Amino acid sequence: MKNLDLYSDEIAKCRVCNEKLSKIIDFGSQPLGNGFLGKSEFKNEFFFPMKLGFSEKSKMIQLFHQPEPERMFHDEYAFFSSTSKYMSKHFEDFSEFVISSGYLEFKNPFVIELGCNDGILLKNFALAGIKHLGIEPSVNVAKEANKNGVNTINEFFSEELAKRILNQYGKVDAFMAANVMCHLPKISDVVRGIKILLKDKGVVIFEDPYLGDVIKKTSYDQIYDEHVFLFSAISVNYLFNLHGMELIDLYPQKTHGGSMRYVLSKKGAYKPSERVFETIKNEKILGLDNLEKFFEFSKKVEKSKHNLITLLQELKDTGKVIAGYAATSKSTTVLNYCGIGQNLIDYICDTTPIKQGKYSPGMHIPVVSHNYFINNPPDFALLLAWNHSEEILEKEKNFINRGGSWITHVPEVKII
Ligand code: TMP
């Protein structure tokens, strides 16, 4: 275990408003969500203290500590967006949404995507002949994006990079991001950079896992090193208001088990839609601006942990073989927080070749191919990619036909 002493609660201030954070949940010592590793790397595995905090001023839910970005987004980043057919379709729809939104100028529109991964969204703009630019800090995925015909810069975004982009490419109609903004600890610097790049009528369109869904479903596995923030409409509006911008629309999404797509512009450029007021009103009813509500959430998370360990242990005690289905980053939180290792889960299968042959972060469960799962079907499979359950249950009908059963932990622990 390394570097735990680098961090201290005393310095934990909100990254948006600089006020002290209130602690909601302590997940203990956690490895990197995407830190799949070989046996020889076990000894030097990186861990950090993962605690969830809330700022009563900005209403922003966030991690107390986050490992340096370079540890997470590097030349061997293991997450390729295009591995899921469902996500490819989602991003095709996202591009159609933006192209037909009326926010792009008719002549020579220009769009940017922050964290374009392997180009899953921007390739649709490239195909439509729209001027575009991807910004992606991980070398291997940025290379893949360029291979996919997407013009990509391999750098971390900042106000300084925004100024360089402005000089070289000019202002943008739409600045997009999907499952990226919640990763960025220096969020104020990022928003300043975005504002520099926006045309007067330009918009920011981004989506991220939605706090409202996490609270409703007790899906605490959305919390891991990369997700430094969990946004609500209230907190996103607060953040952009500080920079002369505002929320003008939003659209709930099914992705990642419940996300929100936010549309923002410079203040006064557009009239905010009724949906914005309605959603903020509902969030206040749900208590997403209320510390007490998050203490309730914390109790539910503890109960979920207890129920999952109990169920797996009971099955194991009767000699059942249990596999994890999909080596997702969010499963790292569940497995490490609940202390689930090879004592309870025999293996995890995953379709991503660079994860196969490695071990899960922290708990070191072997990651095997999907073929292994087909050839060695377990009695039970824990749906670690529960957010893709529709797609998975549909394509794995044979698993059930051969006598297997699914286990899920969201929204509650149960055998499906
Ligand atoms: P995520 O999108 O929830 O982070 O999950 C992505 C991981 O799940 C990635 O490693 C690929 C894996 N996966 C499978 O192995 N099989 C599947 O059917 C799906 C949808 C994902």
Side-chain angles (χ1 to χ4, degrees), residues 79 256 325-328 330 350-352 355 387-388 392 395:
F79 184 76
H256 293 284
Y325 193 97
T328 56
K330 54 182 165 299
D350 195 281
T351 50
T352 313
K355 290 185 186 176
N387 51 312
H388 298 290
I392 295 171
K395 73 179 178 197

Side-chain angles (χ1 to χ4, degrees), residues 355-389:
K355 290 185 186 176
Q356 297 162 5
K358 293 198 171 164
Y359 293 82
S360 74
M363 297 313 293
H364 304 161
I365 302 171
V367 180
V368 299
S369 68
H370 179 252
N371 263 347
Y372 185 93
F373 172 81
I374 299 293
N375 297 328
N376 303 272
D379 301 301
F380 289 87
L382 175 60
L383 206 41
L384 296 172
W386 57 267
N387 51 312
H388 298 290
S389 61

Side-chain angles (χ1 to χ4, degrees), residues 17-35:
C17 70
N18 218 26
E19 292 289 311
K20 195 169 175 295
L21 290 176
S22 304
K23 190 174 86 189
I24 301 167
I25 306 179
D26 187 341
F27 287 98
S29 173
Q30 290 275 342
L32 302 180
N34 247 319

Side-chain angles (χ1 to χ4, degrees), residues 261-272:
R261 180 177 298 162
Y262 305 92
V263 185
L264 302 111
S265 69
K266 291 183 181 169
K267 267 190 187 156
Y270 297 93
K271 186 171 174 287

